[in-house]
Amino acid sequence: MAKMQAETKSPGPSLAVLYEPGNGEPKVDIIAVHGIGVDADSTWTTNGVNWLRDLLPKSAPEARIMRFSYESRWMGEFAIHQHISNVANLLLEAIRSKREQCPTRPIVFIAHCYGGIAVSKAIIKIRTLGDEYMIPTQSDQGSKKTIVDCIAGILFLGTPFRGTKSRAYAEILGNILKRTGHGNSDIFQPDQSMKADLNDFVRIANQQSLPLCCVFEQKETDIAKVVTHKHPLLGQFGKHKEVVVPEDSASIDGVKRLGVDADHFKMNKFSSVDDPNYVTVLQQLGEMIKKAPDRVKSRLNPKSLAFTKKDIASEPRRRSLSALWHENPHEKSIAIPEHIGESRRKTHEWLLAHRVFTEWLNEDDAPLLWIHGGAQRELFISLIATLTNKAERSSRHLSVGHDFCASGHSPRKILHSLMYHVLCQYPDAIDIWSLEYYKFRKESMSQEDALSKLWQLIQRTLGFANVDVAYFILGSPENCEPGSLDKLFSLTMETNDTKCRIKWVVVSLKDAAMEKLLSTYLQINVEDSSEIQDVAKDATDQDDSS
């Protein structure tokens, strides 16, 4: 029988269990983190219903549901000065203590307001102090695993990633309280490192493929009413309504965002399973919870992505692949990612925090990213390493193909390279499509028809292998035969007859031909963007601190 826990009023930080399954081990831990100036239990409660305890177990019966509590009062005689960094430390220690017997169990966070900042800060701290938060695993992989590898999703509710427009008003109220001896205004002082922290968090989230969802409020909050409820002395200051955390601050570029019909202090409270806002939130939570075990298992036990025929176990399949291609296109291209040094890879870690890269990585309707300028070869290798790491740690079927174009390269050679990599990674497809490819090579057809036929074969191979997403990286395409790229991109961008999402990233110079061809797609200018300098500096600072 399931165990419902009574709400616990704790004088200090704690991670209290609100619900856990009565039979068997929980499959996931759900941890809710509240914001500032609230009670850890009442903040999730309305009309006597604590939705974490009373509603969520019905949809997540195999989860252990907990809420984190920390002292956050900024009004009254017990008001304190609380730093987000300190809250993050307390959260990590509470998690480590509570999960001693289940260190690899998946975690899904629910975070309201500054609770989301605390969660993201905690993740950054784990990255900086990794050895302190390592977890034991049975994986034979050499890389260390930490608590971050167990995070299967984060639902942010009104988290002010870029601050809150109402902070100034809240600070005025805090100053009044401080002067009258009833509160502390220091809690509202802005954190100068907020931008850097957001960049660090996004970089880690993209590296780890953390599922995120940002929920923002769509109604104004009567701030004076909220504060007056906490302390009657403020009743004389009249009404003041505004959106506490607007959409642009409550969202991360390139990450799923959803609005709810509630103000800031009601967006985290639900009294019924029929509440439309609860339905919206539950849909996102349910997806995270459902996929949590497979996601974490794949991270803790990553697979190895093949790029050459030597990685294929079956000798007959290796011979078949050799017969399909007399030369390994990979060997004609560039050294594989493991041959590059860690320092060279870190040179381009800024990319993982870039808003345009994040958008391309996460948005379904972003088929191509054009990166121009800078050191093309090193950036090309860095992208292979980044996307290979993502594919190897994913519970979904992902594929990574690449080609670095030499002088006089042709679109047909590009597709040959991509096909070769797909078959190396999903060798079962070799048996199915080798005969069809032999027929294709013997047929007499125009270059345009041959290109179209080869692209069809790639799509059918991806479909046969049930690949969910294929990442194709193309380096220095400006070296291709003049005018040939028009045919390649008109074909590949307009035709996708498979359920697989095919996402291209092109690294090139910015010349007139490439501008004409790719200007309508997402792009990053490595040389001119001041944003890159900021993100790169944050990446360097983070590496130095670690």
Side-chain angles (χ1 to χ4, degrees):
M1 184 175 180
K3 301 176 183 177
M4 295 288 191
Q5 309 291 335
E7 293 176 356
T8 304
K9 306 291 183 181
S10 173
S14 68
L15 194 56
V17 177
L18 302 181
Y19 166 86
E20 59 183 346
N23 299 316
E25 281 289 312
K27 292 186 176 181
V28 62
D29 279 344
I30 300 175
I31 301 174
V33 183
H34 65 81
I36 57 174
V38 297
D39 173 77
D41 292 306
S42 63
T43 191
W44 310 106
T45 303
T46 185
N47 297 327
V49 177
N50 182 324
W51 70 277
L52 297 174
R53 182 197 60 201
D54 303 326
L55 303 182
L56 190 55
K58 299 174 184 177
S59 300
E62 296 181 311
R64 178 172 65 167
I65 302 172
M66 297 175 282
R67 64 98 178 106
F68 178 63
S69 169
Y70 62 95
E71 186 55 81
S72 67
R73 286 172 288 183
W74 56 275
M75 289 184 286
E77 58 181 314
F78 299 109
I80 64 165
H81 181 99
Q82 186 69 278
H83 289 288
I84 288 296
S85 182
N86 185 46
V87 176
N89 289 334
L90 295 173
L91 174 61
L92 288 175
E93 290 307 311
I95 290 174
R96 183 158 57 178
S97 174
K98 204 74 171 181
R99 288 167 51 89
E100 286 182 349
Q101 303 303 315
C102 53
T104 61
R105 183 182 297 162
I107 300 172
V108 172
F109 282 106
I110 303 169
H112 179 236
C113 191
Y114 278 90
I117 302 296
V119 170
S120 62
K121 190 74 171 180
I123 290 171
I124 294 169
K125 283 181 174 290
I126 294 173
R127 167 69 181 271
T128 305
L129 306 170
D131 289 347
E132 293 186 24
Y133 297 100
M134 286 180 57
I135 57 174
T137 68
Q138 297 179 347
S139 171
D140 58 359
Q141 301 289 331
S143 60
K144 299 175 181 178
K145 309 301 178 186
T146 68
I147 294 174
V148 175
D149 291 292
C150 297
I151 298 175
I154 307 174
L155 182 73
F156 294 106
L157 300 171
T159 295
F161 294 106
R162 298 175 182 85
T164 166
K165 291 179 180 179
S166 68
R167 175 181 281 145
Y169 182 73
E171 190 168 345
I172 291 172
L173 298 180
N175 283 331
I176 293 170
L177 289 167
K178 188 173 184 179
R179 288 197 301 270
T180 59
H182 292 284
N184 185 349
S185 65
D186 292 336
I187 190 67
F188 297 108
Q189 295 301 318
D191 184 357
Q192 297 301 321
S193 65
M194 184 170 284
K195 182 180 179 181
D197 281 351
L198 178 58
N199 285 336
D200 287 339
F201 173 69
V202 172
R203 183 181 301 109
I204 296 168
N206 283 337
Q207 280 179 331
Q208 297 288 128
S209 298
L210 297 182
L212 309 175
C213 181
C214 299
V215 181
F216 59 92
E217 64 219 56
Q218 293 180 309
K219 282 188 174 181
E220 293 183 332
T221 298
D222 188 339
I223 298 174
K225 181 178 179 180
V226 172
V227 178
T228 301
H229 176 71
K230 296 285 186 181
H231 205 292
L233 286 177
L234 296 177
Q236 59 184 303
F237 296 103
K239 293 185 177 181
H240 181 89
K241 286 189 176 184
E242 62 180 320
V243 173
V244 175
V245 183
E247 179 182 352
D248 61 344
S249 181
S251 303
I252 299 173
D253 294 324
V255 170
K256 180 183 290 185
R257 62 178 70 181
L258 298 168
V260 291
D261 186 29
D263 67 30
H264 186 72
F265 295 100
K266 293 180 181 176
M267 67 185 306
N268 60 322
K269 299 176 177 66
F270 317 105
S271 61
S272 166
V273 294
D274 298 320
D275 183 335
N277 292 335
Y278 179 68
V279 173
T280 297
V281 167
L282 183 62
Q283 184 177 14
Q284 302 307 313
L285 271 179
E287 187 74 6
M288 293 176 182
I289 294 167
K290 178 182 177 181
K291 296 180 178 180
D294 287 340
R295 276 190 173 127
V296 173
K297 181 180 179 181
S298 296
R299 290 204 204 113
L300 298 180
N301 303 278
K303 52 185 176 286
S304 180
L305 204 63
F307 283 103
T308 66
K309 62 179 181 287
K310 70 179 181 181
D311 297 312
I312 299 174
S314 168
E315 176 61 29
R317 286 175 175 170
R318 287 199 299 271
R319 289 198 300 268
S320 295
L321 197 57
S322 296
L324 291 177
W325 283 276
H326 299 295
E327 292 181 340
N328 181 347
H330 178 73
E331 294 167 353
K332 286 290 187 182
S333 175
I334 197 167
I336 51 179
E338 51 260 40
H339 291 292
I340 65 175
E342 184 71 11
S343 61
R344 292 178 69 191
R345 185 186 65 80
K346 284 187 175 182
T347 302
H348 297 288
E349 279 203 344
W350 58 264
L351 186 65
L352 286 163
H354 198 283
R355 61 179 183 80
V356 177
F357 180 78
T358 303
E359 181 179 349
W360 171 79
L361 196 63
N362 295 319
E363 295 288 348
D364 291 344
D365 57 352
L368 187 145
L369 171 63
W370 178 29
I371 306 176
H372 45 81
Q376 293 184 52
R377 187 174 290 262
E378 289 191 1
L379 184 53
F380 175 78
I381 296 175
S382 183
L383 282 162
I384 297 173
T386 295
L387 295 173
T388 298
N389 178 68
K390 179 179 178 66
E392 291 179 339
R393 293 162 53 83
S394 176
S395 59
R396 297 185 298 166
H397 292 107
L398 306 185
S399 181
V400 178
H402 57 83
D403 192 44
F404 197 86
C405 303
S407 179
H409 219 62
S410 69
R412 184 164 176 169
K413 287 183 178 179
I414 291 172
L415 294 187
H416 271 191
S417 292
L418 301 180
M419 183 70 162
Y420 181 91
H421 292 145
V422 171
L423 290 175
C424 285
Q425 291 157 23
Y426 296 94
D428 287 351
I430 296 174
D431 303 336
I432 304 298
W433 301 119
S434 58
L435 179 60
E436 189 164 349
Y437 184 76
Y438 284 131
K439 290 165 56 180
F440 156 68
R441 291 191 65 179
K442 292 180 179 180
E443 289 182 19
S444 177
M445 61 181 72
S446 67
Q447 285 288 338
E448 188 170 338
D449 288 343
L451 201 64
S452 178
K453 181 69 173 179
L454 188 54
W455 180 238
Q456 289 176 21
L457 282 173
I458 290 176
Q459 292 179 82
R460 293 173 68 181
T461 303
L462 293 170
F464 171 79
N466 293 315
V467 176
D468 297 301
V469 185
Y471 298 103
F472 292 154
I473 310 159
L474 187 58
S476 295
E478 66 272 17
N479 291 328
C480 286
E481 300 165 350
S484 63
L485 290 177
D486 293 18
K487 298 175 183 177
L488 174 68
F489 284 107
S490 63
L491 174 67
T492 56
M493 292 296 104
E494 295 173 7
T495 309
N496 186 355
D497 298 324
T498 175
K499 293 180 180 179
C500 173
R501 281 196 295 129
I502 301 174
K503 300 180 78 68
W504 294 77
V505 56
V506 178
V507 182
S508 78
L509 297 175
K510 187 178 183 180
D511 58 22
M514 296 304 298
E515 176 76 21
K516 180 180 178 181
L517 190 64
L518 302 177
S519 62
T520 59
Y521 298 101
L522 291 175
Q523 56 183 292
I524 298 174
N525 188 336
V526 177
E527 295 178 340
D528 298 339
S529 176
S530 60
E531 181 181 8
I532 287 177
Q533 296 176 9
D534 292 339
V535 177
K537 181 180 183 299
D538 294 337
T540 303
D541 292 344
Q542 178 66 21
D543 291 334
D544 290 343
S545 67
S546 60

